[in-house]
Structure formats: structure tokens, C-alpha cells
């Protein structure tokens, strides 16, 4: 197996190649004056199974096209199998028709990727397990939550309260609790599908005097975490931290979260950022080694 270092995940790709001892295939990328993408493998894949490490955070549409072009290039270069390692899988939130007239974006995207030559997908904490059922190739969905929780154990916060900002993220908080060994719970969150506005409540949570870590898959605008922090402050939490797998951090999200009383925001290198303190490379390395030997 060889690892193609996608332009969106250079550092993560290099780290994974180093940990797995697999040869890295570098990529040259340029954009034509009209905005079209040109991409080329700088060395041969030599008819080996390849894994392309390429996240699809914003600018997601560009990165999806780059991924598709890389898969095609690898296949034309003789790769019998192409595994896409896409830590943050864009469009996974539109995994069903919520309102009449919508499509299922993740299904369309997956069909496009399969058409480009992708045979299997490795992703991390996909937004909904339901999205996986829409994908036309074998998938491996890994969880980075134990690694994030371990970060807080190392900081001395064993026994912290693991909080999910909504019921859907409860499985995430439970995975964190297994590492932290403290209490676990979730807020209630309702979203208006037309306006996108959310409402959160925290009835029955016993967080007074506790160190609380809010775990979520994605931090996008920060609204969910800011709302959760406000409730936690009102309920008397002693310290508030937050951790996410995919730090999209749109606009001023980071500052707004800190201003809301959160002491630290921790993310992974699923999306490179200044809070990407936990690397996914060890997790991806194990999955690729298993694919290689299986
Ligand atoms: C939603 O269900 C997700 O798990 C995240 O809570 C959400 O995407 C975060 O978005 P934002 O940061 O914009 O509130």
C-alpha cells in the first residue's frame, strides 16, 4: 500500500505515512486562471493499493474535486484499489430528505466518488451513522473521542463530567466517559429546519461545582457550544472545556466560544487549525494496517 498525500491533509498524511512506514506519494496541485483544478501524482503508485488522505472541510467543493481527480489518477496509474481516508466528510449532515424538495447530498457525493474510482472509505466520527448506509462502498467509521478524552486525562481532569450538547451526541459523551470515569449527560436541543435556529435546555443535569467537558462531533459556527456554556454557567459548573473531532470554526467561532466562558477548545487535525491538538494519525494508521493485512 502507498499513501497519497492529499493537498487538504498534508501534515496528517505525512504523519500517517511515517507511522505506517508506507511510502508517501506527493501531489502537485495548481489552479488555472479560470478556477479549474490541475492535479498530478509526482511518483508512480506502481500498481499498489493506495490510500488517499484528504479531508473535505471548506472549501469543501474544491477538495471533493481534488479527491475525485486523485482517485482517477491513481486508477489510471494502475492502483487496483483506492481507499479514501476522509477525516471530515462534507455533506454528511444531509443524509435524508428533511423537507420536501430536498435531495440526499451525501448519497450523491458518494456516487460521484465511486464513479471517480474510490473503492472504500475510512472516515472519523461521521455526523450520522445513517449516512454510512447511503454509501456505495465499504466504509470504516472510526472514533477520535477516546483520544480527545485522553487529552483531558493528561491535563489532570480525570472524573470530569462528559456532556453531549444534544441527545444525538450522547454516544460521543459516553465514549468520553469511559476514559474520564466521571458523570455523563446531555442537553436537549431542538432545531427549526426552516430558520436553522436552535433551542437548548439542560433540565435535570447535576453539574454544580463540576469540571464539565462538552464533547461534539463538529464545531461549526460555535452556536451549539456557546448555548451549552451559558446553561452550564447558570447551573453552576466550576470549569467548562470543549472538545470536538472536526473543528470547522467558521468565522469568529473560536473567540465567541472563549468569550462565553469556555476555558479551552480542543480539536483534532481532521481539519487543521490552531486548536488541532490531537492527531488522528495513530487511529488512521491502525485502520490502514488492518486493510493492508486483510
Ligand atoms: C449537530 O447536530 C452537530 O453535532 C453539531 O452540534 C453542530 O454541527 C454544531 O454546529 P454549530 O457550531 O454551528 O452550532
Amino acid at each position: 500500500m502507498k499513501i497519497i498525500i492529499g493537498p487538504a491533509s498534508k501534515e496528517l498524511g505525512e504523519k500517517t505515512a511515517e507511522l505506517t512506514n508506507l511510502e508517501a506519494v506527493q501531489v502537485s496541485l495548481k489552479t488555472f486562471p479560470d478556477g479549474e483544478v490541475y492535479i498530478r501524482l509526482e511518483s508512480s503508485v506502481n500498481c499498489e493499493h493506495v490510500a488517499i488522505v484528504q479531508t473535505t472541510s471548506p472549501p469543501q467543493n474544491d477538495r471533493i474535486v481534488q479527491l475525485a481527480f486523485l482517485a482517477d489518477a491513481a486508477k489510471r496509474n494502475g492502483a487496483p484499489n483506492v481507499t479514501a481516508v476522509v477525516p471530515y466528510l462534507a455533506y454528511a449532515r444531509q443524509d435524508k430528505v428533511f423537507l420536501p424538495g430536498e435531495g440526499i447530498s451525501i448519497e450523491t457525493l458518494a456516487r460521484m466518488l465511486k464513479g471517480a474510482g474510490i473503492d472504500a472509505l475510512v472516515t472519523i466520527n461521521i455526523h450520522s451513522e445513517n449516512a454510512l448506509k447511503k454509501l456505495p462502498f465499504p466504509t470504516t467509521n472510526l472514533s477520535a473521542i477516546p483520544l480527545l478524552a485522553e487529552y483531558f486525562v493528561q491535563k489532570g481532569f480525570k472524573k470530569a463530567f462528559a456532556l453531549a450538547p444534544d441527545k444525538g451526541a450522547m454516544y460521543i459523551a459516553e465514549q468520553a466517559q469511559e476514559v474520564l470515569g466521571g458523570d455523563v449527560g446531555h442537553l436537549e436541543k431542538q432545531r427549526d429546519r426552516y430558520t436553522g435556529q436552535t433551542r437548548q435546555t439542560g433540565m435535570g443535569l447535576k453539574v454544580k461545582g463540576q469540571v464539565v467537558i462538552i464533547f461534539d462531533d463538529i464545531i461549526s459556527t460555535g452556536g451549539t457550544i456557546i448555548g451549552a456554556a451559558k446553561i452550564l454557567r447558570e447551573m453552576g459548573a466550576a470549569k467548562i472545556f470543549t472538545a470536538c473531532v472536526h473543528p470547522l470554526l467558521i468565522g469568529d467561532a473560536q473567540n465567541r466560544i472563549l468569550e462565553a466562558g469556555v476555558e479551552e477548545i480542543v480539536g483534532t487535525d481532521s481539519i487543521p487549525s490552531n486548536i488541532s491538538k490531537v492527531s488522528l494519525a495513530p487511529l488512521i494508521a491502525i485502520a490502514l494496517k488492518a486493510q493492508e493485512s486483510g
Side-chain angles (χ1 to χ4, degrees):
M1 184 185 267
K2 291 192 181 190
I3 298 194
I4 296 179
I5 313 290
S9 295
K10 274 195 173 169
E11 264 183 48
L12 178 59
E14 296 285 3
K15 265 190 203 162
T16 308
E18 216 175 285
L19 283 179
T20 49
N21 239 342
L22 294 171
E23 191 184 318
V25 175
Q26 302 296 338
V27 162
S28 41
L29 168 74
K30 67 180 183 190
T31 309
F32 289 108
D34 62 358
E36 287 186 0
V37 163
Y38 170 88
I39 206 154
R40 185 178 152 265
L41 303 176
E42 288 184 352
S43 57
S44 169
V45 303
N46 277 344
C47 300
E48 282 192 47
H49 181 172
V50 296
I52 306 171
V53 183
Q54 167 88 342
T55 205
T56 55
S57 54
Q60 53 278 73
N61 298 342
D62 288 354
R63 287 170 167 181
I64 287 165
V65 169
Q66 292 163 8
L67 174 62
F69 288 2
L70 284 172
D72 177 59
K75 277 278 163 80
R76 286 174 199 276
N77 204 238
N81 274 297
V82 175
T83 297
V85 180
V86 186
Y88 175 69
L89 185 60
Y91 295 107
R93 282 178 281 187
Q94 185 70 23
D95 64 338
K96 61 181 172 200
V97 172
F98 295 96
L99 295 177
E102 291 177 352
I104 303 180
S105 313
I106 189 62
E107 199 175 330
T108 312
L109 171 62
R111 284 202 305 260
M112 284 162 51
L113 293 176
K114 186 175 165 71
I118 287 168
D119 302 297
L121 174 86
V122 175
T123 190
I124 319 287
N125 293 98
I126 193 163
H127 180 65
S128 88
E129 288 272 334
N130 189 45
L132 293 177
K133 297 186 200 136
K134 311 280 177 202
L135 308 185
F137 32 57
T139 56
T140 307
N141 180 34
L142 305 168
S143 179
I145 299 301
L147 294 177
L148 286 165
E150 187 54 38
Y151 172 92
F152 286 98
V153 170
Q154 294 307 319
K155 284 199 79 155
F157 294 119
K158 200 153 175 66
K159 300 280 177 207
F161 190 113
L163 183 81
D166 56 41
K167 206 171 173 189
M170 189 57 181
Y171 87 96
I172 286 179
E174 282 168 349
Q175 286 182 5
Q177 182 206 23
E178 273 178 36
V179 177
L180 291 164
D183 294 334
V184 67
H186 69 85
L187 300 177
E188 293 293 342
K189 183 170 96 174
Q190 276 100 34
R191 185 181 293 275
D192 182 318
R193 285 266 154 214
Y194 287 95
T195 63
Q197 296 269 321
T198 56
R199 215 181 128 257
Q200 291 160 288
T201 49
M203 272 194 347
L205 282 180
K206 295 200 174 70
V207 293
K208 197 171 167 54
Q210 295 229 46
V211 173
V212 182
I213 308 168
I214 313 164
F215 287 89
D216 208 350
D217 56 342
I218 301 168
I219 298 180
S220 179
T221 64
T224 301
I225 301 301
I226 292 166
K230 183 168 179 278
I231 293 171
L232 291 173
R233 279 199 326 271
E234 286 165 4
M235 294 181 117
K239 277 177 186 286
I240 307 167
F241 295 89
T242 190
C244 72
V245 180
H246 310 295
L248 282 169
L249 302 173
I250 303 303
D252 206 17
Q254 208 171 320
N255 283 336
R256 290 173 46 245
I257 292 171
L258 296 174
E259 280 162 15
V262 173
E263 303 209 6
E264 187 181 352
I265 314 166
V266 179
T268 77
D269 52 3
S270 156
I271 300 171
S273 75
N274 63 338
I275 58 126
S276 298
K277 299 167 189 169
V278 171
S279 181
L280 298 174
L283 207 57
I284 295 171
I286 293 169
L288 292 184
K289 279 291 171 195
Q291 277 207 1
E292 208 191 12
S293 57

